[in-house]
Amino acid sequence: MILYNTLGQKKMEFVPHSGKKVNMYTCGPTVYHFAHIGNLRTYIMEDVLERYLRYDGYDVTRVMNITDVGHLTSDADTGNDKMVEGAKREHKTVMEIAKFYTDAFFSDCAKLNIKTPDVVEPATNCIDDFIKMVSTLIDKGYAYLSGGNVYFDTSKLDNYYVFGNMNADDLEVGVRDDVDHDENKRNKTDFVLWFTKSKFEDQALKWDSPWGVGYPGWHIECSAISIKHSGEYLDIHCGGVDNAFPHHTNEIAQSEAYLGHKWCNYWFHVLHLNDARGKMSKSKGDFLTVSLLEEKGYNPLVYRMFCLQSHYRKPLTFSYESLDNTAKAYDKLIKRISALSNEGEIQTDLAKEFEGSFKSALDNDLNTSLGLTAVYDVLKADLNDATKLYLIEKFDKVLCLNLISADESTEQNLDREIEELIAKRQEARANKDWATADAIRDELAARHIKLIDTPEGIKWEIQE
Ligand code: AMP
Ligand code: ZN
């Protein structure tokens, strides 16, 4: 597979460290508000990438953090903690806010057929891991204490701007840094690893540390959580393009300083969803959510298809007019597929050609719009219905648009998928991994699956 790699700024062949095993990391949501459909564009495209890698025979383990502490209102070290702001806004505690919006996030993901990552880890679960990493960075001479905070010293690196020529928008945070200059920093690009003395008197969650009571910076959480679950070598790290700088740049700086070698080979960035006012962002207030689209009568999968119709490396502009066009196209597509009869023997030899075009589309830097075209090509082709259904069902493992209405084989697949989810939830509960367990519970609930405790174990049924 060829993927555009922000590290190197060109398309490259994707070659994981260990054969067919892929360690994938995704920056998770900051859970102080609902995810908007821009955030979800990023998660949809990352989901397609993960599903395609699995389709292509890779054994993927995907880890995602939940940012429930440390992300300030500026992506640099200024402003207030977004979680504290959220709690104030809603007159709740930070942990109540975190739980509510984490659940809301996974329920949106389930509606969009975004798979729950194998590991979901809230930052507040990993304070010891952050402290260990910060201590090592100090011991190795990469971090210093100043004015009560611990900072990463970017002057110790040969090349801090690893992604090369960032454009003006990407550097916006760095520029803003000038405005609110932190006198404790030795260099403008240094960043906080651990806050102790800070202007945030009302910080809700604080922990003891060798440098005094405080809380972690935002960047350290992704490095530490990734290394904790995926080890020293990460194959692919994903996020929205606004995260490339400073967040991912800082992640690379501290991870490589800590490990003493290169950490992650591929950086996958999804371009923004814009609306008439520019980049959709939570801080602008009246943003669009999946629930709002549902209230307006849209099937969330229409939004998934809307995202798949354009390339992840192009900015996408949202309008109801374009979403309406996708809704019409989706309905027509589903009708055409449901008219197929499932009769005849599968024409395996002929099918190969179509599987080849689907694969070439996705192999070419995840060209999802050509992947969708492959579905239309199958419908138009001189193939029997059974072969058409066979191919569309296969492609839909990646596109995940529920293209095939529940026939017998998909029902069996569905049963297996749900049983696997229940088993994964049991395992998470046994490991006291409540975030993963809750995320799976929400995914099941959004799919109207009711769990029933019986003496023989957990049974399930679909609620009407
Ligand atoms: P956050 O919850 O703010 O930490 O963001 C979650 C994810 O959404 C990150 O990967 C961001 O880079 C991404 N993101 C934020 N705004 C947008 C947008 N307008 N379009 C696409 N992705 C976005
Ligand atoms: Zn991150």
Side-chain angles (χ1 to χ4, degrees):
M1 181 182 198
I2 303 289
L3 272 179
Y4 181 87
N5 188 353
T6 315
L7 195 63
Q9 293 158 79
K10 57 174 191 243
K11 288 190 192 177
M12 296 176 191
E13 194 181 341
F14 177 67
V15 187
H17 278 102
S18 341
K20 282 285 187 184
K21 272 195 79 60
V22 174
N23 282 322
M24 181 172 181
Y25 185 85
T26 301
C27 288
T30 310
V31 283
Y32 71 109
H33 219 317
F34 291 107
H36 56 63
I37 58 170
N39 301 128
L40 291 161
R41 176 192 192 195
T42 292
Y43 293 110
I44 288 170
M45 302 317 288
E46 292 168 351
D47 180 69
V48 178
L49 173 64
E50 178 190 345
R51 289 183 190 272
Y52 181 64
L53 289 172
R54 288 183 194 272
Y55 176 95
D56 207 18
Y58 289 99
D59 174 12
V60 184
T61 305
R62 180 154 168 220
V63 177
M64 184 173 86
N65 67 306
I66 299 287
T67 299
D68 53 1
V69 68
H71 192 171
L72 306 187
T73 45
S74 149
D75 280 354
D77 301 320
T78 57
N80 213 338
D81 185 327
K82 291 186 182 188
M83 294 302 297
V84 174
E85 299 264 293
K88 269 197 214 150
R89 184 186 65 231
E90 299 188 16
H91 308 288
K92 290 190 181 143
T93 66
V94 164
M95 287 327 276
E96 280 166 351
I97 291 281
K99 166 104 186 69
F100 179 80
Y101 289 114
T102 303
D103 287 352
F105 173 74
F106 284 110
S107 137
D108 285 348
C109 286
K111 289 175 188 166
L112 292 163
N113 280 351
I114 298 171
K115 186 179 163 296
T116 302
D118 302 284
V119 178
V120 178
E121 183 82 279
T124 50
N125 267 3
C126 301
I127 302 298
D128 289 347
D129 302 282
F130 308 150
I131 291 177
K132 178 177 160 239
M133 197 161 170
V134 176
S135 306
T136 307
L137 288 171
I138 296 176
D139 293 346
K140 287 188 156 191
Y142 283 103
Y144 60 92
L145 224 100
S146 175
N149 296 331
V150 183
Y151 292 86
F152 187 92
D153 186 349
T154 52
S155 71
K156 292 277 170 1
L157 305 175
D158 294 337
N159 179 21
Y160 168 67
Y161 292 104
V162 278
F163 294 135
N165 307 321
M166 316 293 295
N167 66 38
D169 282 350
D170 296 334
L171 285 170
E172 201 186 323
V173 179
V175 174
R176 244 189 273 141
D177 233 1
D178 275 342
V179 180
D180 194 0
H181 185 66
D182 179 346
E183 296 296 329
N184 298 320
K185 290 186 185 182
R186 288 182 192 162
N187 313 288
K188 179 180 158 254
T189 45
D190 290 357
F191 54 93
V192 176
L193 297 167
W194 186 268
F195 290 99
T196 54
K197 175 178 172 292
S198 79
K199 55 190 173 180
F200 316 129
E201 291 302 322
D202 55 354
Q203 184 68 20
L205 301 175
K206 294 179 193 172
W207 294 266
D208 212 0
S209 84
W211 321 285
V213 175
Y215 56 99
W218 170 39
H219 315 298
I220 194 78
E221 68 178 73
C222 287
S223 293
I225 291 173
S226 173
I227 292 169
K228 177 176 179 181
H229 293 288
S230 305
E232 293 195 8
Y233 296 92
L234 186 62
D235 293 303
I236 186 156
H237 192 307
C238 318
V241 71
D242 57 320
N243 279 350
F245 186 85
H247 184 49
H248 293 162
T249 304
N250 292 349
E251 277 189 45
I252 294 174
Q254 66 205 359
S255 299
E256 297 192 351
Y258 172 78
L259 295 168
H261 58 72
K262 189 168 179 191
W263 172 48
C264 176
N265 283 338
Y266 299 87
W267 289 81
F268 175 91
H269 288 118
V270 179
L271 270 284
H272 286 144
L273 181 81
N274 300 315
D275 59 17
R277 296 174 306 166
K279 180 195 163 200
M280 193 170 287
S281 79
K282 290 185 203 173
S283 53
K284 282 189 189 156
D286 57 336
F287 48 79
L288 284 177
T289 59
V290 172
S291 316
L292 207 88
L293 293 185
E294 280 184 306
E295 277 167 31
K296 288 182 185 285
Y298 294 98
N299 174 348
L301 292 182
V302 166
Y303 180 65
R304 185 173 171 108
M305 177 152 160
F306 176 76
C307 292
L308 300 193
Q309 282 170 327
S310 62
H311 195 254
Y312 75 91
R313 266 191 320 111
K314 292 206 176 105
L316 176 61
T317 303
F318 177 84
S319 73
Y320 281 108
E321 202 186 343
S322 2
L323 193 66
D324 285 339
N325 287 334
T326 307
K328 280 185 210 131
Y330 182 73
D331 283 349
K332 243 169 108 178
L333 183 60
I334 297 295
K335 281 203 185 92
R336 281 176 77 182
I337 296 169
S338 55
L340 297 173
S341 68
N342 210 2
E343 270 160 24
E345 287 271 300
I346 294 170
Q347 300 157 293
T348 359
D349 281 348
L350 294 177
K352 281 203 178 89
E353 184 194 322
F354 293 87
E355 288 171 57
S357 347
F358 181 74
K359 185 165 157 41
S360 334
L362 287 131
D363 272 345
N364 183 9
D365 198 19
L366 208 72
N367 193 328
T368 47
S369 76
L370 277 182
L372 275 173
T373 305
V375 174
Y376 287 98
D377 288 345
V378 165
L379 284 169
K380 276 189 287 185
D382 190 11
L383 296 166
N384 66 27
D385 281 7
T387 310
K388 290 183 181 180
L389 282 172
Y390 161 81
L391 285 167
I392 294 171
E393 187 170 2
K394 216 166 165 191
F395 301 167
D396 204 35
K397 291 211 170 3
V398 178
L399 306 173
C400 260
L401 292 168
N402 294 4
L403 295 177
I404 310 265
S405 49
D407 62 14
E408 213 184 317
S409 69
T410 42
E411 256 171 35
Q412 278 164 7
N413 284 342
L414 186 76
D415 288 2
R416 205 174 324 119
E417 204 185 319
I418 289 168
E419 269 142 31
E420 275 170 17
L421 274 173
I422 294 173
K424 234 168 100 183
R425 179 167 174 266
Q426 292 298 91
E427 191 188 322
R429 285 167 67 98
N431 294 334
K432 298 197 165 36
D433 176 1
W434 307 120
T436 306
D438 287 354
I440 296 172
R441 184 204 56 208
D442 292 341
E443 181 172 345
L444 292 168
R447 291 164 74 165
H448 306 285
I449 309 288
K450 186 180 164 202
L451 299 181
I452 308 152
D453 257 323
T454 73
E456 294 84 49
I458 293 194
K459 300 258 189 284
W460 60 275
E461 64 184 29
I462 299 183
Q463 285 175 311
E464 291 309 318

